[in-house]
Amino acid sequence: MNTYTRLPVAFTRGEGVWLWDEQGKRYLDAVAGVAVNGLGHGHPKLTQAICEQAKTLIHTSNLYQVLKQEQLGAKLAQLSGMDKVFFCNSGAEANEAAIKLARLHGHNKGVEIPTVIVMEQSFHGRTMATLTATGNRKVQAGFEPLVRGFVRVPYNDIDSVNQIAEHNQDIVAILVEPVQGEGGIQVPQPAYLQELRRICDSRGWLLMLDEVQTGIGRTGTLFAFQQTGIVPDVMTLAKGLGSGVPIGACLANGAAAEVFKPGNHGTTFGGNPLACAAALATLSAVEEQDLCKQAAETGAFIREALGKQLAGTSGFVEVRGIGLMIGVELDRPCADLVKLALEKGLIINVTADSVVRLLPPLIMTHDEAQQVVDMLAPLIKDFLARK
Ligand SMILES: *Cc1c(COP(=O)(O)O)cnc(C)c1O
């Protein structure tokens, strides 16, 4: 169906940070399938794990024990310090699980209309509950009636959360991105998650972090929350987890990990051996190749180098981000830049109308990052110089 305005290019092969199209033209990939291909394209360890698992066993269903799923669950619990995991197939599904978990937690406490606090400019997915949670009218328009049980506050604003807490007795959870991705790479003040943690603790609410985009090394640590000293009650993952093999996860800690009982939630495909093998290979490559550290360093380099080259350019607002989540804000809509970059052999993304978004593979080297900067900065300057 006509759900995407697609760019006029079809990639047929990839290796590392490079993609090739049907004509054999080469492109430098600074989007990584929207924060999915953290290991780049054709990573030998990943392709080997997928091939071996495909030959052995692809799917049996969750009616039986699934050994690869148990291994992946244990690994994610160990890496996050959280207790339990539900596996699904996408970010939206992971957030659906989180929202259902919050509602059940609320009903268990006797709250009749359990309500989740969500943020302006957030993005949580395209299912009915997650598009309702999303703070973007374009995502919601035409799909009313929306789902009940959400209230919205500005991002990075603790006072608004406190105000709502004063007169809404139905709040059971906060759902928030540690850094807003689709919203334009918005990085909150350093103490934001800690403050939210404190409010949740004092009110008995669940702190639910949507790490679908920030997770799996993207921000310079395996999970973004690990830079804050707090642990969430619920965390959702997807994008980078399976390196392109669809998998999502909803992790829970403490009492939240005990909310779901058999029959409360389920999935046919979620956590199948193939997807779990891809995720296990992804996590071990991230660990072995020290990709979190590399993401932090490469990201800092790109932000600094772009900032230097663009400084003083009329129409350039700022470069911001964390790790390999990078936003270049301009003073005007700049969706046209995506096509201009593509012609030059560079893959970039634009979000929130006026923010160039870079989400390069975690494996990007310093030299490749330099090439991104050297291609992108002149493109932006030329674009801003046009009438
Ligand atoms: C992409 C994204 C989602 C939705 O994930 P899908 O796999 O497309 O359903 C949810 N939350 C955040 C923060 C995302 O970036």
Side-chain angles (χ1 to χ4, degrees):
M1 294 189 189
N2 190 24
T3 53
Y4 281 85
T5 311
R6 294 170 193 270
L7 291 159
V9 63
F11 302 113
T12 52
R13 188 168 70 82
E15 200 182 311
V17 298
W18 301 96
L19 284 168
W20 284 264
D21 70 12
E22 293 167 294
Q23 283 74 42
K25 180 177 166 188
R26 191 175 80 148
Y27 301 81
L28 180 50
D29 182 5
V31 178
V34 197
V36 169
N37 306 109
L39 305 183
H41 304 280
H43 190 286
K45 200 172 160 156
L46 174 74
T47 52
Q48 197 197 340
I50 293 170
C51 290
E52 267 170 27
Q53 190 59 49
K55 282 186 217 164
T56 310
L57 188 67
I58 293 178
H59 173 87
T60 57
S61 94
N62 287 305
L63 299 176
Y64 317 103
Q65 293 173 24
V66 181
L67 297 177
K68 274 276 165 348
Q69 184 184 127
E70 290 175 20
Q71 269 179 45
L72 178 60
K75 185 81 194 165
L76 283 172
Q78 177 226 321
L79 291 168
S80 65
M82 298 177 71
D83 290 325
K84 297 201 175 172
V85 192
F86 172 83
F87 289 106
C88 51
N89 313 285
S90 68
E93 274 182 83
N95 287 329
E96 281 280 341
I99 293 162
K100 283 181 68 177
L101 192 155
R103 286 182 164 201
L104 195 52
H105 157 78
H107 283 294
N108 289 344
K109 292 199 302 182
V111 179
E112 263 178 52
I113 306 174
T115 299
V116 178
I117 295 182
V118 291
M119 305 300 157
E120 291 174 7
Q121 272 81 54
S122 62
F123 184 79
H124 298 295
R126 300 286 195 152
T127 62
M128 280 311 307
T130 58
L131 77 81
T132 302
T134 291
N136 181 343
R137 271 306 295 162
K138 278 192 205 156
V139 171
Q140 299 171 340
F143 300 107
E144 297 82 2
L146 301 181
V147 175
R148 292 175 72 192
F150 293 95
V151 291
R152 197 172 304 285
V153 299
Y155 189 61
N156 196 18
D157 181 347
I158 293 295
D159 288 345
S160 306
V161 176
N162 279 322
Q163 270 170 33
I164 285 208
E166 286 311 312
H167 42 246
N168 190 326
Q169 304 306 307
D170 294 331
I171 308 289
V172 294
I174 300 176
L175 174 63
V176 60
E177 297 157 270
V179 176
Q180 288 187 331
E182 307 299 307
I185 313 292
Q186 307 292 347
V187 185
Q189 67 196 69
Y192 184 54
L193 292 187
Q194 290 155 21
E195 299 268 331
L196 292 181
R197 177 73 275 174
R198 208 179 35 71
I199 296 172
C200 286
D201 285 341
S202 73
R203 304 256 171 198
W205 302 348
L206 302 179
L207 179 59
M208 311 203 296
L209 298 185
D210 180 344
E211 292 234 23
V212 168
Q213 190 163 149
T214 54
I216 320 300
R218 179 110 331 246
T219 67
T221 46
L222 193 62
F223 309 111
F225 80 76
Q226 292 171 323
Q227 294 172 49
T228 68
I230 62 129
V231 179
D233 300 295
V234 174
M235 167 173 69
T236 56
L237 299 173
K239 292 199 164 92
L241 182 56
S243 294
V245 179
I247 182 168
C250 177
L251 286 83
N253 199 33
E258 308 302 325
V259 170
F260 282 146
K261 301 279 187 273
N264 286 145
H265 199 43
T267 167
T268 298
F269 295 130
N272 77 39
L274 186 71
C276 291
L280 280 163
T282 301
L283 292 172
S284 61
V286 168
E287 219 167 1
E288 276 165 25
Q289 297 177 234
D290 213 358
L291 293 180
C292 294
K293 184 159 166 266
Q294 186 169 330
E297 290 171 1
T298 311
F301 165 73
I302 293 176
R303 288 195 303 278
E304 200 194 313
L306 275 177
K308 265 190 198 148
Q309 292 209 25
L310 294 173
T313 308
S314 165
F316 161 68
V317 178
E318 67 167 350
V319 185
R320 58 174 176 259
I322 177 170
L324 286 173
M325 270 182 102
I326 300 164
V328 184
E329 182 167 350
L330 308 183
D331 71 350
R332 66 199 74 173
C334 59
D336 290 351
L337 268 169
V338 172
K339 233 174 178 170
L340 294 169
L342 197 69
E343 283 161 15
K344 301 268 184 219
L346 175 66
I347 301 171
I348 60 167
N349 175 256
V350 166
T351 190
D353 288 336
S354 58
V355 180
V356 176
R357 178 171 56 160
L358 305 180
L359 300 162
L362 309 181
I363 54 146
M364 182 171 275
T365 63
H366 187 275
D367 177 59
E368 291 157 347
Q370 183 75 59
Q371 293 182 57
V372 172
V373 173
D374 290 343
M375 289 166 97
L376 182 58
L379 270 169
I380 293 177
K381 282 188 189 173
D382 287 352
F383 175 80
L384 289 173
R386 293 192 321 196
K387 276 272 161 64

